[in-house]
Amino acid sequence: MEDYNKVIESLGVRYIKAKNLVLQQPFTVRNYYDVGNNLILLHKGKIAFGDEEQVVEEGEMLFIPGGRATKVSYGEAAGKSITNDDLISNKDKFFHSNADLDLIGDAEESHSHVSFEAKVFDSVNFFASLDVPAFLITGNSKLANLVIKVVEESLQELPGRERLITIYTENIVVEIVRYILKNKMFVEQLATNSTYFKDPRLIDLFNYIKENIGGDLSNKVLSSVANVSEDYVGQYFKMLTGINPQDYIEYQRMERAVFLLRTTKKSIRDIGKEVGYKDTAYFCRRFKMMFGIPAGKMRRRESAMNI
């Protein structure tokens, strides 16, 4: 248990957004994907997920880890099948964003969701590092109430709003980890993580990659940071994390690119250079391959989400 406490204490949590959404028409998104983690609380209606179309009952929650593409269906009837790109571009055709506090939980075909980051040592996406699929959370009224509290705070301009949202979001992350532990889910992944997050050489690598995301991050450079041989550094990194260092670096670069696209007016060319890609065309190809949409559409994602 002490190891898990250390992992939880190391988590840096950042709130991204929260919404109460009312379904406009039934549909299925074949490859729902987001960089942030998403916790969806179903109030009324029907949601199903995964290739086996596991059903989320009213009052239950669907957790979709960041970085994992997932099939998600909304609505009782069979609806049109769309891509994540279609959803981002035409969100208002499928959902109406409710801003009335009195209607939260009462509107037909509605759900609330909270999106957030959870990073170990402010470097590694915790849930993405577990490499777990989307999963159902049942019988947890405390977690459901936290989702509602975040949504309610996000809809009001009250003193202390940001502080409370931060506290509630951190509580959400702790409750999700507790749920995983209590139900003995993803035991191997958690055991591995609790071990390698204590390795000081790996922590040095995480920090170096974060601080030099646009620079030279070849295995030669990484080997000097970790004080291991160039031939061994890739094996060492993969042995502890389950992923080779260059794949991890590309994910971190793309995640940083998403942040810059959403929060700055920098050109796609400048963003690509800032995160380590000298060739803009190659950056754009890799970006679309990873996220399923062009970088320009990711930039417009926030306005599409804020209906």
Side-chain angles (χ1 to χ4, degrees), residues 14 74 114 143 195 225 238 259 280:
R14 185 178 73 87
Y74 298 88
V114 176
L143 187 52
T195 300
V225 175
K238 187 170 184 178
F259 175 79
T280 304

Side-chain angles (χ1 to χ4, degrees), residues 23 26 45-46 58 74-78 109:
L23 187 66
K46 179 182 176 182
E58 294 178 359
Y74 298 88
E76 294 286 349
E109 299 285 354

Side-chain angles (χ1 to χ4, degrees), residues 25-293:
Q25 60 173 301
F27 72 98
T28 296
V29 57
R30 298 190 295 273
N31 57 337
Y32 177 88
Y33 185 99
D34 199 354
V35 174
N37 306 289
N38 282 273
L39 181 61
I40 300 170
L41 167 63
L42 178 61
H43 298 301
K44 293 186 177 181
K46 179 182 176 182
I47 295 176
F49 68 99
D51 293 335
E52 297 181 358
E53 298 187 345
Q54 185 175 356
V55 174
V56 182
E57 302 290 348
E58 294 178 359
E60 295 181 342
M61 287 158 283
L62 169 61
F63 180 65
I64 305 177
R68 287 296 297 256
T70 306
K71 178 182 176 183
V72 184
S73 298
Y74 298 88
E76 294 286 349
K80 64 170 63 176
S81 179
I82 65 172
T83 66
N84 200 55
D85 192 356
D86 297 329
L87 178 61
I88 291 169
S89 302
N90 303 286
K91 185 102 180 185
D92 56 340
K93 293 183 179 179
F94 300 102
F95 292 118
H96 165 68
S97 184
N98 169 52
D100 187 339
L101 294 176
D102 293 332
L103 290 180
I104 294 176
D106 290 332
E108 296 297 324
E109 299 285 354
S110 68
H111 69 269
S112 292
H113 84 266
V114 176
S115 180
F116 59 89
E117 287 182 352
K119 292 188 174 182
V120 180
F121 303 112
D122 201 30
S123 300
V124 184
N125 281 313
F126 176 66
F127 295 106
S129 73
L130 291 179
D131 193 29
V132 299
F135 62 88
L136 191 63
I137 297 177
T138 64
N140 196 317
S141 59
K142 183 176 181 179
L143 187 52
N145 288 334
L146 286 168
V147 172
I148 294 173
K149 284 181 177 180
V150 173
V151 172
E152 288 177 341
E153 286 294 330
S154 72
L155 293 174
Q156 302 176 85
E157 295 294 336
L158 296 174
R161 169 180 178 267
E162 300 301 327
R163 180 67 180 273
L164 284 178
I165 285 177
T166 298
I167 292 171
Y168 293 149
T169 306
E170 289 178 345
N171 285 353
I172 283 173
V173 173
V174 172
E175 287 300 322
I176 292 173
V177 175
R178 285 179 174 179
Y179 184 86
I180 290 172
L181 293 173
K182 180 181 178 181
N183 291 278
K184 296 181 172 57
M185 303 167 70
F186 321 123
V187 175
E188 278 189 31
Q189 295 96 320
L190 277 171
T192 300
N193 274 266
S194 65
T195 300
Y196 79 65
F197 286 147
K198 294 185 294 184
D199 189 311
R201 292 178 298 175
L202 192 61
I203 302 310
D204 287 344
L205 282 174
F206 289 153
N207 289 332
Y208 186 85
I209 291 168
K210 178 187 175 184
E211 293 169 4
N212 298 275
I213 198 66
D216 182 4
L217 293 174
S218 63
N219 279 6
K220 181 178 181 179
V221 172
L222 298 182
S223 67
S224 64
V225 175
N227 197 28
V228 297
S229 71
E230 183 179 350
D231 292 336
Y232 178 65
V233 69
Q235 181 182 343
Y236 163 75
F237 192 95
K238 187 170 184 178
M239 176 179 65
L240 293 179
T241 67
I243 185 173
N244 73 61
Q246 295 308 316
D247 285 344
Y248 170 78
I249 289 165
E250 181 170 53
Y251 182 85
Q252 294 301 311
R253 283 175 163 162
M254 289 301 180
E255 187 181 58
R256 177 64 182 171
V258 169
F259 175 79
L260 293 172
L261 286 165
R262 289 176 168 176
T263 60
T264 74
K265 294 183 179 180
K266 294 179 180 180
S267 69
I268 291 174
R269 180 180 181 180
D270 287 344
I271 288 173
K273 287 183 177 179
E274 187 170 330
V275 299
Y277 293 87
K278 296 178 181 179
D279 186 331
T280 304
Y282 179 71
F283 165 67
C284 290
R285 286 198 301 273
R286 296 301 300 169
F287 190 97
K288 186 172 183 181
M289 185 176 294
M290 181 168 289
F291 298 117
I293 61 173

